[in-house]
Amino acid sequence: MRFSSPTRAIGVPLAIVFGLAFFAVSMTVQVPTVHAASGPLDAQASELVRLINGARSAAGLGPLVIDTNLASKARDGSIPCPDNAAKTIAGRAQDFAAYSQQSHALRLCNAAGYAVSGTLFVGTLQSAWGYGSVGEILGYNGGYGNGAYLWQYSSKSLWQSWTYATTGHMMAGWMSSSPHRNIILGGYDRVGCGGWASSAGTYYYACEFSRGGGYATRAAPTGSPFSNPLPTAKPAPPAPTAPPAGGGGGGGSGSGGGTTPTRAPTSAPTATPTSTPTETPTAAPTLLAVAVPVAAATVTPDPLAALAQSRDDMLPPARNAGFASAMLQLAAAAAGSVSALAAAFLAIVSLRRRRRESAL
């Protein structure tokens, strides 16, 4: 097929316009949308159990075993709804992450939004699963990450270990709050912890405690996820030495008495203080205090940063952000060029129409 000169004059600018338009659109849609990862935090929940037992060890208490049912309910195991027996609620940590809310009371299933009932979960542990003395501690944080963090607790002895930053800060918050510390060091023998990350990157944690129970148990973890060496303890200063005992004077004979013997001075014995035995506090099922440590600000994902990250295999790290910015600027420029070329195309068409009219 052969095109006439007027057709070619119109077709060439039109092809350029559509080509640049397609280029601009393709550059724009290549910027990905980034969402924070969400889901279970099993490694972190396991670490909380280990740190809890570490704190108990420092206080001279025995370790807790993991109750599989408590661990399930703390994570994502179904829980009966307080307002509708036909419905269930997700486990504590997962439910908190889904609604970005946290409460010792169970939420209502039939409510339009997040609304809590008058039913405490620790009460449900007793009524639905037959536990006796129970307790619950909750908390959340975000922005700390999972890097190495040295957590320690000192009571009758010092216990320290490397852990995740998020779990270390969580334990620091709990142990600085007397209601939470009393549960951690309470008269329980079982525990179950669960963790869940929300879509916004916040980590929600729940730990359930009980004394006794009819469910299977397993040993708690004992090893740190990090191999970093622990700080070397400073050597204790040497104990002071007692002065040498002085010899008594020799006895004289006859009327002249000898010198009176002098006893060597000895330091007065120091009584070793003994701690007054205290009753181990047991958390009442109506505990409502919640430890919420102030976390570092959560960074909102940036599409430019995401685009730069996707180009790591192509450009050096220092140029990633510049590349992404340049691409978006180029897309904007291309979009502007489309408008300009479209205007030029219309002007060409109008001019040729006038020429034909003048020729007639």
Side-chain angles (χ1 to χ4, degrees), residues 46-150:
S46 180
E47 264 298 276
L48 287 177
V49 173
R50 189 178 72 88
L51 299 180
I52 286 171
N53 278 338
R56 291 177 63 86
S57 175
L61 302 171
L64 307 178
V65 296
I66 296 177
D67 182 299
T68 56
N69 185 60
L70 291 179
S72 171
K73 304 310 175 187
R75 183 183 188 262
D76 62 348
S78 60
I79 299 169
C81 281
D83 58 334
N84 190 332
K87 296 182 179 180
T88 59
I89 304 171
R92 304 294 279 155
Q94 184 184 25
D95 195 64
F96 297 150
Y99 288 88
S100 298
Q101 299 283 347
Q102 205 168 47
S103 173
H104 287 290
L106 294 175
R107 67 175 177 84
L108 296 169
C109 289
N110 292 337
Y114 184 89
V116 296
S117 66
T119 302
L120 297 176
F121 176 63
V122 286
T124 303
L125 285 176
Q126 295 172 323
S127 62
W129 295 291
Y131 289 99
S133 179
V134 291
E136 177 183 68
I137 57 176
L138 308 175
Y140 65 86
N141 61 36
Y144 292 119
N146 294 304
Y149 176 88
L150 181 64

Side-chain angles (χ1 to χ4, degrees), residues 303-334:
L304 287 179
L307 177 60
Q309 186 65 29
S310 68
R311 301 286 182 171
D312 277 348
D313 57 340
M314 299 174 60
L315 296 174
R319 297 175 55 195
N320 285 342
F323 176 83
S325 178
M327 291 299 98
L328 291 180
Q329 291 176 5
L330 181 60

Side-chain angles (χ1 to χ4, degrees), residues 24-62:
V25 171
S26 65
M27 290 301 299
T28 302
V29 299
Q30 285 176 5
V31 180
T33 301
V34 179
H35 297 284
S38 61
L41 301 171
D42 294 337
Q44 293 81 353
S46 180
E47 264 298 276
L48 287 177
V49 173
R50 189 178 72 88
L51 299 180
I52 286 171
N53 278 338
R56 291 177 63 86
S57 175
L61 302 171

Side-chain angles (χ1 to χ4, degrees), residues 267-359:
S267 58
T270 304
T272 303
T274 57
S275 58
T276 304
T278 56
E279 183 179 356
T280 303
T282 302
T286 54
L287 177 68
L288 292 177
V290 179
V292 184
V294 178
T298 303
V299 179
T300 302
D302 182 3
L304 287 179
L307 177 60
Q309 186 65 29
S310 68
R311 301 286 182 171
D312 277 348
D313 57 340
M314 299 174 60
L315 296 174
R319 297 175 55 195
N320 285 342
F323 176 83
S325 178
M327 291 299 98
L328 291 180
Q329 291 176 5
L330 181 60
S337 299
V338 169
S339 299
L341 289 174
F345 169 72
L346 294 176
I348 292 173
V349 172
S350 176
L351 179 60
R352 294 188 65 83
R353 183 181 298 113
R354 291 176 183 174
R355 289 180 178 177
R356 286 197 301 269
E357 290 174 355
S358 63

